[in-house]
Amino acid sequence: EELNPIIVTPSIQAIDRDRNIQPPSDRPGILYSILVGTPEDYPRFFHMHPRTAELNLLEPVNRDFHQKFDLVIKAEQDNGHPLPAFASLHIEILDENNQSPYFTKPSYQGYILESAPVGATISDSLNLTTPLKIVALDKDIEDVPSGGVPTKDPELHLFLNDYTSVFTVTQTGVTRYLTLLQPVDREEQQTYTFSITAFDGVQESDPVIIDIRVMDANDNTPTFPEISYDVHVYTDMSPGDSVIQLTAVDADEGSNGEITYEILVGAKGDFIINKTTGLITVAPGVELIVGRTYALTVQAADNAPPAERRHSICTVYIEVLPPNNQSPPRFPQLMYSLEISEAMRIGAVLLNLQATDREGDPITYAIENGDPQRVFNLSETTGILTLGKALDRESTDRYILIITASDGRPDGTSTATVNVVVTDVNDNAPVFDPYLPRNLSVVEEEANAFVGQVRATDPDAGINGQVHYSLGNFNNLFRITSNGSIYTAVKLNREVRDYYELVVVATDGAIHPRHSTLTLAIKVLDIDDNSPVFTNSTYTVVVEENLPAGTTFLKIEAKDVDLGANVSYRIRSPEVKHFFALHPFTGELSLLRSLDYEAFPDQEASITFLVEAFDIYGTMPPGIATVTVIVKDMNDYPPVFSKRIYKGMVAPDAVKGTPITTVYAEDADPP
């Protein structure tokens, strides 16, 4: 049986205290053996050498059935009067790394307050009271039953596939946590979606998605576009008529972004403000008097809890003028905000900007600024804003349009601002980096060898722009990681195939994803991993005896499929080197001396020997072939009489056919 030594710590050794027995030849030796053990089938797997105590494994152990063995070993003298000693031997069967790590959840949802400091831990609920726990396990380390509690740290490396400058994951322990590397601002980005992968040094887990939502903090103050406004009102205005529409902006969400308007001072009871809309109107029962002026201090405050509330003010200067026909048209609002998809169809109605003129004059509308490419159309007569050209968020994601309404008189023009935000659709496929090399190479006979890297980007926003990589072919030979690194999945053999055109697919994360492909040319580089092989494993040749020395009678040939191999030949059998010469480069076999058929034993006129071919600069063993030389007999001996002279006598009357004498000749050639 084949023995596989097992290293035992500390090494198994027993010492006999009777050390100085004389003579030394009477000193007993020590015999070692396994006495008992559990489980009871331990003799199937382990053998202990009786003299050296070396422990050997007899056959592989399946960890699914045996996690450990507890044995009792015995040491005793070999003199027939044993005084045994005993020791316990604990053997633990370690797992082979053949399982990929895995996460205990298919996805994770986390929450973080936008005002959280660097180092803060991501929470798992809206109330931000408990941390988000990420658990990755490895069955190679511990097979945790469903619902069980892991006890061993699998020592996995977890890495994020995006936003690595914003978040990091703790690197030790069964439970891992996400923490902040830099502050986040909900008003800039409200959600972060990325994947996380676990790596045990050999196997990589399937990535799982982590979605982190940034919770709003009241970190924005309601802001008026201007710090002051100048307004004219007229004595013929009635209670309830609009004076000015004030609009403050607060980027926070919920109650943190809801605005309440209030006139603090200066109205003198003549003007009121709608606390929700910010529209200032003439107060009930008021008659405006020519020449009066007002300075209204207006406050905009958000509706956060009182301790966190933020506010700002602006001043509205109002002058009362006599009735005339010089008041400009008035927009219902000074500022409009609009979100439209980049896939919006051309001609779609976006906004009604109809203004009112106190005198009822016809109004002309125009886009004064903010649309040099004429993407939008504004009806001159109705103030209807429509889409004139296709939108592309990736080139322009925001427009600030300055809209004018004019009644055609001097000073008869008003303006309004329209903020247009273009939202994303998945209209771009990932694009591969053209500057990374596409002609790659890798050494044969090496698994997990790095081949090269690709990188693709997608200008779409959010998950529409997240890129994932896969292979379009040769999935059994190559693999690609989440960052675009390509490795060999198995050992490649250049002699079978030395060139691959590998198709890499980049897919975005949209519900209906787009993808792009890239073809990489991969050359497999040669190493010396093949021995020369003879064209025939056996050569048989008939050689006539007595051919002169130097005669070439056979040419052998071997080929080495490795690149640049320099094949040389030599005779391996030393006992025939005085008969034959083998040219080291041409493979020609020639005679060093003539062969004599009659010198061989009867029926054995042949010589069999080994030749070998080797790569001069290589390291692989030589190739071997057998050569059999059959010596062909030639008629090279004349018959020889047994005597030079024979004498015979015959009677005169002898009849025909009477024997006279017998002559005899021999020939050294075979019959």
Side-chain angles (χ1 to χ4, degrees):
E1 294 178 340
E2 182 180 352
L3 300 181
N4 297 295
I6 299 174
I7 298 174
V8 180
T9 306
S11 60
I12 300 171
Q13 184 180 12
I15 298 174
D16 192 342
R17 294 185 178 180
D18 298 324
R19 302 181 184 177
N20 297 317
I21 297 172
Q22 298 299 329
S25 59
D26 289 346
R27 296 176 188 173
I30 297 178
L31 294 175
Y32 299 90
S33 61
I34 301 174
L35 190 61
V36 293
T38 56
E40 286 73 13
D41 60 347
Y42 70 88
R44 223 178 92 203
F45 301 103
F46 304 105
H47 172 267
M48 180 170 285
H49 193 284
R51 291 292 182 185
T52 65
E54 181 184 81
L55 188 66
N56 291 282
L57 183 66
L58 298 177
E59 66 175 71
V61 184
N62 189 333
R63 192 174 181 276
D64 292 338
F65 302 103
H66 299 86
Q67 281 82 38
K68 65 178 181 177
F69 292 85
D70 288 298
L71 310 178
V72 177
I73 57 176
K74 178 175 71 171
E76 60 183 349
Q77 299 163 328
D78 63 357
N79 58 3
H81 302 286
L83 297 173
F86 304 95
S88 296
L89 174 59
H90 176 75
I91 300 173
E92 184 174 353
I93 309 302
L94 301 178
D95 197 7
E96 179 187 6
N97 190 0
N98 59 0
Q99 299 283 335
S100 298
Y102 66 95
F103 289 92
T104 57
K105 290 185 178 181
S107 62
Y108 294 90
Q109 176 70 53
Y111 303 89
I112 188 71
L113 192 64
E114 66 174 322
S115 60
V118 171
T121 301
I122 308 304
S123 298
D124 65 355
S125 60
L126 284 167
N127 56 20
L128 307 174
T129 55
T130 55
L132 176 65
K133 297 178 180 179
I134 299 173
V135 179
L137 300 176
D138 190 340
K139 290 185 178 179
D140 291 320
I141 305 300
E142 181 181 16
D143 194 359
V144 181
S146 178
V149 178
T151 60
K152 296 181 181 179
D153 183 354
E155 297 181 3
L156 300 171
H157 174 63
L158 271 60
F159 56 92
L160 312 184
N161 296 315
D162 203 353
Y163 301 118
T164 53
S165 63
V166 183
F167 305 100
T168 186
V169 63
T170 55
Q171 288 301 317
T172 58
V174 174
T175 303
R176 307 293 181 88
Y177 304 94
L178 282 170
T179 59
L180 271 185
L181 285 178
Q182 67 180 44
V184 289
D185 185 353
R186 187 202 67 85
E187 286 70 49
E188 288 186 8
Q189 185 164 348
Q190 188 168 350
T191 60
Y192 292 86
T193 302
F194 53 89
S195 61
I196 187 169
T197 306
F199 183 58
D200 65 6
V202 176
Q203 306 275 352
E204 203 175 80
S205 73
D206 291 331
V208 296
I209 297 297
I210 294 182
D211 186 76
I212 296 178
R213 179 178 168 188
V214 182
M215 307 299 294
D216 184 56
N218 192 25
D219 57 347
N220 290 278
T221 301
T223 305
F224 290 101
E226 307 289 340
I227 60 173
S228 65
Y229 299 88
D230 292 307
V231 183
H232 294 159
V233 295
Y234 304 91
T235 55
D236 59 350
M237 289 180 67
S238 304
D241 283 355
S242 297
V243 176
I244 185 171
Q245 169 72 59
L246 296 181
T247 303
V249 177
D250 189 328
D252 293 318
E253 70 175 349
S255 60
N256 292 338
E258 293 174 356
I259 299 173
T260 298
Y261 300 91
E262 180 183 0
I263 299 175
L264 298 180
V265 293
K268 302 176 184 179
D270 292 347
F271 302 97
I272 58 174
I273 190 168
N274 186 307
K275 68 177 184 178
T276 303
T277 66
L279 178 64
I280 296 177
T281 58
V282 179
V286 171
E287 288 188 11
L288 299 175
I289 300 173
V290 173
R292 271 197 182 176
T293 59
Y294 303 83
L296 279 57
T297 301
V298 180
Q299 173 183 275
D302 59 33
N303 290 335
E308 302 173 13
R309 192 166 295 167
R310 290 171 174 258
H311 55 80
S312 65
I313 62 173
C314 73
T315 304
V316 179
Y317 297 100
I318 301 175
E319 182 181 2
V320 181
L321 300 177
N324 59 38
N325 196 22
Q326 295 180 0
S327 60
R330 294 176 181 271
F331 286 104
Q333 297 175 217
L334 291 178
M335 182 172 293
Y336 297 84
S337 294
L338 190 62
E339 278 194 6
I340 56 176
S341 167
E342 64 176 322
M344 180 76 73
R345 63 178 177 83
I346 295 175
V349 175
L350 306 179
L351 198 60
N352 185 349
L353 291 165
Q354 186 175 13
T356 57
D357 185 78
R358 195 167 67 91
E359 293 77 29
D361 294 329
I363 301 172
T364 302
Y365 301 91
I367 299 175
E368 185 178 277
N369 201 351
D371 186 22
Q373 304 298 323
R374 299 186 179 274
V375 176
F376 302 94
N377 290 332
L378 180 63
S379 169
E380 282 190 8
T381 56
T382 65
I384 301 294
L385 185 68
T386 59
L387 186 63
K389 292 182 180 178
L391 297 169
D392 182 10
R393 187 203 65 84
E394 287 70 42
S395 61
T396 306
D397 63 354
R398 179 183 293 268
Y399 297 87
I400 300 177
L401 306 178
I402 307 299
I403 308 296
T404 61
S406 174
D407 61 8
R409 300 178 182 276
D411 299 323
T413 300
S414 297
T415 62
T417 302
V418 179
N419 282 315
V420 180
V421 175
V422 183
T423 59
D424 186 59
V425 296
N426 189 31
D427 57 347
N428 289 277
V431 177
F432 283 96
D433 186 341
Y435 297 105
L436 288 177
R438 301 187 182 189
N439 294 312
L440 307 174
S441 61
V442 65
V443 176
E444 66 172 327
E445 298 298 337
E446 185 177 343
N448 288 319
F450 178 73
V451 180
Q453 187 172 21
V454 298
R455 185 184 301 112
T457 54
D458 190 325
D460 290 319
I463 199 169
N464 293 344
Q466 289 186 2
V467 178
H468 308 278
Y469 301 102
S470 61
L471 297 180
N473 58 356
F474 300 120
N475 280 284
N476 56 330
L477 302 180
F478 299 91
R479 64 183 179 88
I480 188 167
T481 65
S482 54
N483 68 355
S485 296
I486 299 169
Y487 297 87
T488 57
V490 296
K491 296 178 180 180
L492 301 179
N493 188 342
R494 186 204 65 83
E495 287 71 39
V496 174
R497 184 165 182 170
D498 63 355
Y499 176 78
Y500 296 89
E501 289 190 349
L502 184 65
V503 177
V504 180
V505 182
T507 307
D508 60 34
I511 297 175
H512 302 290
R514 292 174 174 263
H515 68 271
S516 299
T517 61
L518 175 69
T519 300
L520 300 176
I522 301 176
K523 182 180 180 182
V524 183
L525 304 179
D526 185 57
I527 63 171
D528 181 31
D529 59 342
N530 289 277
S531 298
V533 177
F534 281 97
T535 53
N536 292 32
S537 60
T538 301
Y539 295 88
T540 301
V541 60
V542 177
V543 177
E544 297 177 353
E545 66 173 332
N546 297 331
L547 283 178
T551 302
T552 298
F553 61 87
L554 177 64
K555 184 173 182 179
I556 61 177
E557 183 181 11
K559 295 183 179 180
D560 190 327
V561 293
D562 290 321
L563 294 177
N566 198 339
V567 179
S568 183
Y569 306 94
R570 62 189 173 203
I571 296 174
R572 183 164 181 162
S573 304
E575 66 273 11
V576 301
K577 290 185 178 179
H578 63 287
F579 284 118
F580 307 109
L582 178 56
H583 194 285
F585 300 116
T586 66
E588 293 178 339
L589 267 169
S590 60
L591 295 171
L592 286 176
R593 53 196 287 185
S594 296
L595 301 178
D596 185 5
Y597 177 89
E598 287 72 28
F600 292 90
D602 291 344
Q603 299 179 344
E604 291 186 10
S606 67
I607 303 173
T608 299
F609 57 96
L610 299 177
V611 292
E612 60 184 22
F614 60 95
D615 183 355
I616 293 176
Y617 304 110
T619 58
M620 297 298 291
I624 297 174
T626 302
V627 177
T628 299
V629 177
I630 299 174
V631 183
K632 180 180 179 182
D633 178 52
M634 302 299 290
N635 192 18
D636 55 347
Y637 288 95
V640 176
F641 283 102
S642 59
K643 296 179 182 180
R644 292 182 62 83
I645 299 174
Y646 294 90
K647 294 181 180 180
M649 291 185 293
V650 62
D653 57 351
V655 298
K656 181 180 179 180
T658 300
I660 299 172
T661 187
T662 300
V663 299
Y664 179 70
E666 286 189 335
D667 191 328
D669 289 315

